[in-house]
Amino acid sequence: MRTITFCIFFMAVGACIRGFQSSMRPVIAVDATHLKCKYKGVLFVANAFDGNRNIYPLAFGIGDLEMDASWHWFFSKLHEVIGECPNVVIISDRNISIGNVWHNIFPMAQHGICFYHIKGNMKRTFKLKKCDKLLLYFEQAAKSYGIAEYDRHFRKIKGNDEVAQYLESAGLHKWSRAHMDGRRYNVMTTNIAESINSILRFVRMLPVVHLIDEIINLLVKWFSKRRDFALKCTSTLCPDFGEKKLRRKLECASRMNVVKLNHVEYNVMDGDMDGHVHLTNNTCSCRKFQLEQLPTLQACSCSLPFIETKCLLHGFSLLHSKYMVGCLFRYHIPGIASRVVGYS
């Protein structure tokens, strides 16, 4: 009797791919974790965020080892199913194999490193304590939106030459939001990939066939729950993320001083928060508006006279469509027929 075996396995659910292409921000976090079943191996995962900041699984792969060939294969299969997504950004840890191969498959993409991993490496390499101010300065520099803001924090790090050289050698554009050419929104870590690894920690003990079935069942459960949630929403924005952030900003924005330059441009003055806002271009001099695609405090202060209950401007929309509740309606329930599977 002939035994059927496989070396590598890839799975992307059609519903997940269609939802990502139409409604998700183009930021993909990738990671790998070891399987605990009889034959071992490695589980590769690729995830995104939906507009409500939920984990949005894209693809799964199973291989023997986490090396260049395995990651090249996984990225190749991922590229086959999502195609050439404009402005895509890939976030990962500092895995050498990922760094060696990602640009061969996604030449137009940008690659960012999880700042939490770099922070952990700093603590171990330079024996820094958890409360060391260098770690705080690094986090502030990594999350800065503008170059001037970044320089202000990084100057404090340069007091320690070794740490500064380490961060510069890692590539400023890899961990600094201000220096990256692409838009990583507010995704600074690979937590979404690591979270799904944690969710599957017991499932990873099962044989591969049962592991895949459990992943499909998990997706069906998540998609059904989130679609039901979207159907009950009465707001325009995703309530657990976009709406909450915007409401907090509107409350703070009411205390800012605004000088109208013309019908679309404003100067906003509030100490360190000074900025120039252009409502038609959806830009702010602090760059946060451009990089997150959510209005900044300054933009909210300019739009207060025009804000409606649905958080839309007359003639201008300050909000990216991927933060709207409509994106949650893309949660089609994945069925057997919608699977896209490759194996060899």
Side-chain angles (χ1 to χ4, degrees), residues 142-153:
K143 294 183 177 181
S144 296
Y145 292 90
I147 298 296
E149 182 187 2
Y150 163 87
D151 287 341
R152 187 167 69 251
H153 297 303

Side-chain angles (χ1 to χ4, degrees), residues 173-303:
H173 63 291
K174 294 286 188 179
W175 56 266
S176 165
R177 180 158 45 192
H179 282 88
M180 177 175 253
D181 291 332
R183 182 187 292 131
R184 62 193 290 173
Y185 294 85
N186 56 350
V187 183
M188 298 302 296
T189 72
T190 55
N191 282 352
I192 46 175
E194 293 172 2
S195 294
I196 201 161
N197 286 339
S198 177
I199 292 167
L200 297 173
R201 63 188 181 280
F202 298 119
V203 178
R204 285 187 275 130
M205 300 178 186
L206 299 175
V208 170
V209 173
H210 298 298
L211 167 64
I212 300 306
D213 283 340
E214 287 299 318
I215 290 175
I216 289 288
N217 291 336
L218 177 65
L219 296 184
V220 170
K221 178 182 176 182
W222 279 359
F223 276 39
S224 177
K225 182 178 179 181
R226 292 171 190 177
R227 186 169 175 80
D228 289 344
F229 174 81
L231 289 169
K232 296 175 183 177
C233 281
T234 57
S235 60
T236 301
L237 292 176
C238 293
D240 292 342
F241 183 63
E243 185 169 345
K244 284 185 178 179
K245 288 195 75 171
L246 191 60
R247 287 190 182 281
R248 286 197 298 268
K249 288 179 180 180
L250 287 171
E251 291 172 4
C252 296
S254 62
R255 297 187 290 272
M256 289 184 167
N257 297 317
V258 180
V259 177
K260 183 177 180 179
L261 304 179
N262 53 53
H263 67 290
V264 293
E265 292 183 87
Y266 298 81
N267 277 338
V268 181
M269 294 166 286
D270 187 42
D272 291 338
M273 300 297 291
D274 290 359
H276 176 266
V277 176
H278 196 296
L279 292 180
T280 300
N281 296 337
N282 283 6
T283 60
C284 180
S285 56
C286 72
R287 297 184 70 232
K288 188 173 183 178
F289 202 170
Q290 297 92 300
L291 295 181
E292 277 201 1
Q293 299 287 280
L294 275 173
T296 58
L297 281 172
Q298 295 94 321
C300 287
S301 66
C302 300
S303 60

Side-chain angles (χ1 to χ4, degrees), residues 114-148:
C114 169
F115 97 91
Y116 187 79
H117 279 85
I118 294 187
K119 186 176 177 180
N121 289 342
M122 286 172 59
K123 289 170 67 176
R124 289 188 295 272
T125 303
F126 302 105
K127 296 179 172 53
L128 302 177
K129 294 182 179 180
K130 188 176 180 179
C131 57
D132 196 299
K133 288 189 175 181
L134 280 173
L135 299 175
L136 173 63
Y137 300 151
F138 165 69
E139 184 169 343
Q140 291 172 331
K143 294 183 177 181
S144 296
Y145 292 90
I147 298 296

Side-chain angles (χ1 to χ4, degrees), residues 8 13 28 30 72 97 100 177 187 190 205 239 244 300 311:
I8 50 179
V13 177
I28 301 172
V30 297
H72 188 279
S97 293
N100 289 341
R177 180 158 45 192
V187 183
T190 55
M205 300 178 186
K244 284 185 178 179
C300 287
C311 299

